[in-house]
């Protein structure tokens, strides 16, 4: 049985009213989250603000290793995100003021980093290796900075789309 669908992007986790699920001020550090290829997500944060996710591992999930539904003023730094079925790191909606720094995104079978919408997303110092389809896909971001990322594989850099709907149209053509 194929546990790694590659023809569609991962759906957001089932939830309603994500803005009511917001939490803030968290620090996730030095932990390992392993989906063991049974869980769709190694770690889900439907809404998170003013938090840091650092020096942790997110591995072997069917859909995405780390999923952030929406949030602002968050830092994702120094993590290992590897061996996930479709996306390594998935930032879904309303992602504002987020720093994605010095992470290792390796062996994710589809996309290393997927950012659907937001503003002021900084992506720096990350290592992308053995990524299936694309290293990064950025859709509907007002201001983003992507610099000094190490791309050690043959996967191409992603697209910048004005909307997530346009991204889905293009992904269907791959």
């Amino acid at each position: 049985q194929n546990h790694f669908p590659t023809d569609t992007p991962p759906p957001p986790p089932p939830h309603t009213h994500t803005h009511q699920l917001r939490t803030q001020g968290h620090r996730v550090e030095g932990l390992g989250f392993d989906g063991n290829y049974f869980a769709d997500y190694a770690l889900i944060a439907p809404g998170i603000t003013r938090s840091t996710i650092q020096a942790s591992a997110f591995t072997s999930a069917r859909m995405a290793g780390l999923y952030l539904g929406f949030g602002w003023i968050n830092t994702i730094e120094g993590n290992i995100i590897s061996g996930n079925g479709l996306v390594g790191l998935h930032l879904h909606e309303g992602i504002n003021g987020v720093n994605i720094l010095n992470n290792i995104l390796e062996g994710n079978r589809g996309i290393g980093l997927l950012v659907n919408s937001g503003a002021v997303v900084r992506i720096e110092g990350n290592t992308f290796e053995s990524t299936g389809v694309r290293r990064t896909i950025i859709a509907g971001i007002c201001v983003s900075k992507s610099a000094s990322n190490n791309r050690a594989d043959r996967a191409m850099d992603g697209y910048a789309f004005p909307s997530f709907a346009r991204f889905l149209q293009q992904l269907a053509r791959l």
Side-chain angles (χ1 to χ4, degrees):
Q1 181 179 357
N2 182 4
H3 291 287
F4 309 105
T6 58
D7 56 343
T8 59
H15 60 276
T16 58
H17 308 293
T18 57
H19 298 289
Q20 295 175 358
L21 299 175
R22 181 180 66 228
T23 61
Q24 67 179 0
H26 299 288
R27 183 172 191 87
V28 176
E29 185 172 6
L31 299 175
F33 300 89
D34 186 348
N36 202 27
Y37 299 112
F38 289 105
D40 286 340
Y41 302 89
L43 181 65
I44 298 173
I48 187 167
T49 64
R50 296 174 179 87
S51 297
T52 299
I53 300 171
Q54 185 174 24
S56 294
F58 306 92
T59 61
S60 307
R62 291 177 38 182
M63 296 300 242
L66 176 56
Y67 173 95
L68 300 182
F70 82 98
W72 54 90
I73 312 173
N74 292 311
T75 299
I76 302 165
E77 183 174 13
N79 298 290
I80 296 172
I81 303 170
S82 67
N84 296 293
L86 195 52
V87 177
L89 174 56
H90 184 173
L91 307 179
H92 184 59
E93 60 182 351
I95 301 299
N96 301 309
V98 174
N99 296 301
I100 304 166
L101 309 169
N102 305 317
N103 297 287
I104 296 171
L105 294 101
E106 178 180 21
N108 297 295
R109 289 169 180 79
I111 303 163
L113 170 63
L114 173 60
V115 182
N116 292 344
S117 69
V120 191
V121 176
R122 190 173 117 200
I123 304 166
E124 290 188 31
N126 299 289
T127 299
F128 294 89
E129 184 160 343
S130 301
T131 302
V133 179
R134 300 272 187 244
R135 288 186 204 100
T136 59
I137 294 184
I138 312 289
I141 298 294
C142 294
V143 177
S144 72
K145 178 180 180 184
S146 179
S148 304
N149 292 299
N150 179 16
R151 295 160 175 98
D153 61 16
R154 292 184 173 191
M156 296 187 301
D157 279 327
Y159 304 107
F161 295 101
S163 72
F164 190 59
R166 180 79 174 128
F167 159 69
L168 291 177
Q169 290 172 349
Q170 291 298 319
L171 187 62
R173 294 181 185 173
L174 294 177

